[in-house]
Amino acid sequence: MDWTVFFAFFVASAGAASTGAIFQPGEWYDRLAKPGFTPPNWVFPVVWTVLYIAMAVAAMRVSLLQGSALAIAAYTAQITFNTLWSPVFFGARRIKAGLIVITLLWLSVAATCLLFLRLDLISGLLFVPYVIWVSIAWALNFSIWRLNGDVAPASP
Amino acid sequence: MDWTVFFAFFVASAGAASTGAIFQPGEWYDRLAKPGFTPPNWVFPVVWTVLYIAMAVAAMRVSLLQGSALAIAAYTAQITFNTLWSPVFFGARRIKAGLIVITLLWLSVAATCLLFLRLDLISGLLFVPYVIWVSIAWALNFSIWRLNGDVAPASP
């Protein structure tokens, strides 16, 4: 455990996590038609807290290994798309643009998971719940788009 | 030049850059009282395009070096805050929260610049214009806050 490196990756996670606090679901989201598998609202911050800590631990482990340049570059891409999703979906209320962002997020998280697995088994496994959760979130965004269309963007 | 690693960092830059297209200044920003040193709107995308490419090149160079874990972790933090600023300022129209984000951005960009300089002179120098630009952007956000207060948040 390198605490300084972990701290820096944790700061990145906290930055991404802050979007969940700044751009919240609220009434607009409550009114949307949602599929039966939609988790209750309280589940999201709980799951995300665990995932943000797990991904920072995984990134710390991998970044200390030789030959990790591509894996960490993929990690940087995934945390950027992660930061982007809440503002696009809950902030701008653009359901279809949110679907594009979460598709890019899924691709970059899956790529990071595979690259991490190749370098360090534990780090790769720490990413597996994240891949599963983003798959669920993707299905949720997709269903909401199918059920509601790209309605009700935020007033500019 | 490792093109695969560059491409992954470039994807992260593109993700951060997309916030400039999704959360645009518009009428709300035009109406705000702004300081004399405010650059015209067209300057921002031009400068940011150069900076996003330069930072991806710098990150690629540093990530290939041994002992770069902390430097790349700091880089990951800075690109997260970079992605966060436009949605908070132009999306949520929260001037004071934007000032907090850009302060964290400045700190993480300055830290990344110093850590890059220690590992690779060219990468550190590629970050210097970014530090200068975020300093100007910080002063602009600060002045807008002083001149307007934290007025006119977006209607939720």
Side-chain angles (χ1 to χ4, degrees):
Chain A
M1 196 80 186
D2 183 320
W3 285 99
T4 317
V5 175
F6 172 75
F7 174 75
F9 279 117
F10 183 77
V11 168
S13 279
S18 73
T19 59
I22 301 170
F23 301 94
Q24 294 212 352
E27 226 183 292
W28 170 79
Y29 176 76
D30 290 344
R31 281 206 215 120
L32 290 173
K34 284 180 284 292
F37 64 86
T38 305
N41 284 358
W42 65 266
V43 170
F44 293 89
V46 174
V47 173
W48 277 115
T49 302
V50 176
L51 293 178
Y52 279 126
I53 294 169
M55 76 176 82
V57 172
M60 177 209 68
R61 292 179 62 95
V62 165
S63 69
L64 293 166
L65 303 173
Q66 256 197 298
S68 64
L70 183 59
I72 288 297
Y75 184 89
T76 305
Q78 71 78 17
I79 206 147
T80 305
F81 293 124
N82 186 305
T83 307
L84 197 55
W85 187 83
S86 283
V88 168
F89 191 89
F90 292 122
R93 295 178 183 171
R94 290 173 64 174
I95 296 171
K96 199 170 149 192
L99 188 61
I100 295 168
V101 173
I102 209 163
T103 303
L104 294 168
L105 177 61
W106 191 91
L107 290 170
S108 55
V109 170
T112 307
C113 185
L114 292 175
L115 290 163
F116 276 24
L117 273 172
R118 231 172 45 176
L119 289 159
D120 174 46
L121 181 63
I122 293 176
S123 298
L125 293 178
L126 280 167
F127 248 68
V128 172
Y130 187 16
V131 174
I132 295 169
W133 184 250
V134 174
S135 304
I136 296 169
W138 188 91
L140 182 56
N141 194 148
F142 179 78
S143 296
I144 289 175
W145 174 59
R146 292 308 300 263
L147 292 168
N148 302 272
D150 199 21
V151 295
S155 50
Chain B
M1 197 79 184
D2 183 320
W3 285 101
T4 318
V5 175
F6 172 76
F7 174 76
F9 279 118
F10 183 77
V11 168
S13 279
S18 74
T19 60
I22 300 170
F23 301 94
Q24 294 212 351
E27 227 184 288
W28 170 79
Y29 175 77
D30 290 344
R31 281 206 215 119
L32 290 173
K34 283 180 284 292
F37 64 86
T38 305
N41 284 358
W42 65 266
V43 171
F44 293 89
V46 175
V47 173
W48 277 115
T49 301
V50 176
L51 294 178
Y52 280 125
I53 294 168
M55 74 176 83
V57 172
M60 176 209 70
R61 291 179 61 96
V62 164
S63 68
L64 293 166
L65 303 173
Q66 255 196 298
S68 65
L70 183 59
I72 289 297
Y75 183 89
T76 305
Q78 71 79 17
I79 206 147
T80 305
F81 293 124
N82 186 305
T83 308
L84 198 53
W85 187 82
S86 283
V88 168
F89 190 90
F90 292 121
R93 295 178 183 171
R94 291 173 64 173
I95 296 171
K96 199 170 148 191
L99 189 61
I100 294 168
V101 173
I102 208 163
T103 303
L104 294 168
L105 177 61
W106 191 91
L107 290 170
S108 56
V109 171
T112 306
C113 185
L114 292 175
L115 290 163
F116 276 24
L117 273 172
R118 233 174 39 178
L119 289 160
D120 175 46
L121 181 63
I122 293 177
S123 298
L125 293 177
L126 280 167
F127 248 68
V128 171
Y130 187 15
V131 175
I132 294 169
W133 184 251
V134 175
S135 304
I136 296 169
W138 187 92
L140 183 55
N141 194 150
F142 179 79
S143 297
I144 289 175
W145 175 58
R146 291 309 300 263
L147 291 168
N148 302 272
D150 198 22
V151 295
S155 50

